[in-house]
Amino acid sequence: MTLPFADWLPHQRWYAGRSRTVEKVQQLAVTRLDSDLEHVLLGVDYADGGHERYQTFVCWDPALADEFTVVATIGSDGGHTGCDALFDEGCARRLLALIADGRTIGALRFVPEAGRAQPAPGSGAGEHAPRTLRADLPVDSPARVLDGEQSNTSVVFDSAAILKVFRRVLPGINPDLELNRVLGRAGCPHVARLLGAIEGDDEGRPVTLGMVTAYAENSADGWAMAAASMRDLLAEADLRADEVGGDFAAESFRLGEAVAVVHRTLAREMGESTAAPPAVAMTARLAGAVAAVPQLAGYRDAVQAVFQAAGAQQVPIQRIHGDLHLGQVLRTPETWLLIDFEGEPGQPLADRRRPDSPLRDVAGMLRSYEYVAHQLLGTEAGDEQLAFRANEWAQRNQAAFCDGYASVAGFDPRDRSALLCAYELDKAVYEAAYEARHRPSWLPIPLRSIARLVETSEDGAWIG
């Protein structure tokens, strides 16, 4: 059957081509998973010559909950209605069961995490081969789609597991699956346990279509926790950051420890080497940002000088998170977890898998503390007293994070101030371009940071 994907696709929040003119949307491959369940690979051709591929699971004639009828319905053909299968509980559970059973159907492999399920003796290795052992996945649990994701779709199964489907299909292994697999098998306590994956092949290259991890029950988002701490400080006019009941510094220290453990594990399991910092790439991003944000022009030469100075010598590099900030960490009752190792979704997959300095992740966290502090000021950003308190909170937590990181990593990131400053500036330049395009009222936050970081690089002062 043929569905009107060209009409449906532009309305999905995970679709990245809204600003481009579509010439054609076609079904590149359809894999039947059950009598009423299919996997569809879509090809999108653009007028500018570009091409993208997306995937969706299609369920035919499901009994959808009323709240999902509009968002999940793709269209009709031959008297039957096709819907996004992730919004149907029964279909979502069947996908999880395929992973639990370790099935291979056509070009799709539903893979339980190593050691979790094995084929029954004598079952054979052919398509639809029967299995008698299943991974401990909650295949009968209630399922619900999470709101708010921009580039993927995730389904939570009760409070036990979460299935993430990568909507845009790219050749190569997704670093979210790759690094979670490595860290999980190494016994790292600071990632959610990997339970399985959906994989395929693209002309001999692996393709990551989805992954399942344990659900972090009773967890809190790092950004939300930090923002609550900052609000507590702003509500107490006469107290210092270390005197407020919601002081976050102890958690920042523990978070620094967790990040260092993840870095140390990745270095041990995947190796490390040395290379010059990516000063050329940083300079190229700066040029693009200056073209989009005229307010950056006055800082261009000083920022470029920081990049060039940092790139003058070889530094240790390894696999890292790549897009680390307070929104990418969860606090469970036991510990901090790092999530979403996918990297920046807008970057090519090869770039997201490229080794880099661990200081890029550290810099991302330091920038995130500053964002939490200053975005809460809103219209009162010009109040000098409130700005002082915001800076006090940010610096206290940045220092605590670095202290925690240093206690595990064996080196203090602040001792490598020139390189750390370059990575912070690179991130702030990216933020300035993003805010100018999407949230102009937030643009002063990275602009103030760039001014401060340039001054820092000149006088040698640093946090802590």
Side-chain angles (χ1 to χ4, degrees), residues 9-29:
L9 195 60
H11 299 286
Q12 308 313 303
R13 70 171 60 195
W14 40 262
Y15 174 62
R18 293 186 191 85
S19 62
R20 306 169 76 179
T21 301
V22 176
E23 283 196 340
K24 182 172 61 176
V25 177
Q26 59 182 327
Q27 296 182 184
L28 300 178

Side-chain angles (χ1 to χ4, degrees), residues 234-248:
L234 294 178
E236 298 287 352
D238 298 327
L239 297 180
R240 294 173 53 86
D242 59 345
E243 298 172 331
V244 176
D247 183 27
F248 196 61

Side-chain angles (χ1 to χ4, degrees), residues 55-370:
Q55 65 163 327
T56 187
F57 292 92
V58 177
C59 186
W60 291 97
D61 300 321
L64 289 173
D66 291 342
E67 61 186 301
F68 298 135
T69 300
V70 173
V71 67
T73 300
I74 300 169
S76 299
D77 184 40
H80 296 277
T81 300
C83 299
D84 186 335
L86 299 181
F87 288 87
D88 178 77
E89 278 198 82
C91 288
R93 286 196 290 264
R94 276 188 278 169
L95 292 175
L96 196 65
L98 289 173
I99 298 172
D101 290 338
R103 299 280 290 277
T104 295
I105 304 177
L108 272 61
R109 300 188 304 276
F110 297 85
V111 186
E113 175 55 358
R116 311 199 69 78
Q118 301 294 331
S123 66
E127 188 171 292
H128 300 276
R131 309 277 176 161
T132 59
L133 296 181
R134 312 183 101 202
D136 55 345
L137 290 168
V139 296
D140 298 318
S141 297
R144 60 182 174 87
V145 173
L146 286 182
D147 293 329
E149 288 188 289
Q150 296 298 318
S151 57
N152 308 306
T153 301
S154 293
V155 182
V156 173
F157 295 86
D158 201 8
S159 297
I162 180 168
L163 166 65
K164 179 191 289 187
V165 174
F166 301 105
R167 292 295 195 162
R168 189 176 174 190
V169 177
L170 299 169
I173 186 170
N174 191 297
D176 202 6
L177 173 61
E178 180 185 22
L179 299 187
N180 268 290
R181 183 171 277 161
V182 168
L183 291 164
R185 292 178 182 179
C188 180
H190 299 297
V191 292
R193 184 164 57 100
L194 181 67
L195 302 177
I198 306 173
E199 299 178 276
D201 290 295
D202 179 70
E203 298 180 350
R205 292 176 294 180
V207 175
T208 305
L209 302 174
M211 58 186 286
V212 186
T213 59
Y215 185 70
E217 191 174 9
N218 298 321
S219 63
D221 171 83
W223 177 277
M225 290 180 65
S229 169
M230 181 63 201
R231 281 193 292 268
D232 285 350
L233 176 62
L234 294 178
E236 298 287 352
D238 298 327
L239 297 180
R240 294 173 53 86
D242 59 345
E243 298 172 331
V244 176
D247 183 27
F248 196 61
E251 288 298 342
S252 293
F253 183 93
R254 297 184 188 100
L255 179 55
E257 291 179 309
V259 172
V261 169
V262 168
H263 282 167
R264 189 173 62 186
T265 306
L266 289 174
R268 184 181 68 241
E269 299 297 319
M270 304 185 77
E272 55 186 340
S273 58
T274 60
V280 174
M282 290 178 175
T283 300
R285 282 191 290 270
L286 174 62
V290 169
V293 187
Q295 297 94 319
L296 286 175
Y299 300 108
R300 177 174 48 198
D301 292 345
V303 172
Q304 189 166 328
V306 173
F307 292 162
Q308 291 174 341
Q313 59 182 350
Q314 300 279 302
V315 299
I317 62 169
Q318 61 167 84
R319 293 298 298 275
I320 61 171
H321 184 285
D323 187 28
L324 192 60
H325 52 77
L326 285 164
Q328 304 280 45
V329 294
L330 299 175
R331 183 64 163 99
T332 71
E334 295 78 27
T335 192
W336 281 100
L337 300 179
L338 277 62
I339 62 173
D340 293 337
F341 285 79
E342 192 176 356
E344 294 182 13
Q347 297 300 312
L349 198 61
D351 289 353
R352 290 188 263 151
R353 297 184 66 219
R354 185 172 293 124
D356 203 341
S357 169
L359 293 186
R360 181 176 291 281
D361 282 349
V362 174
M365 290 302 307
L366 301 185
R367 293 292 311 126
S368 197
Y369 283 115
E370 193 155 326

Side-chain angles (χ1 to χ4, degrees), residues 368-381:
S368 197
Y369 283 115
E370 193 155 326
Y371 248 77
V372 166
H374 288 279
Q375 64 88 24
L376 284 174
L377 297 183
T379 58
E380 297 182 288

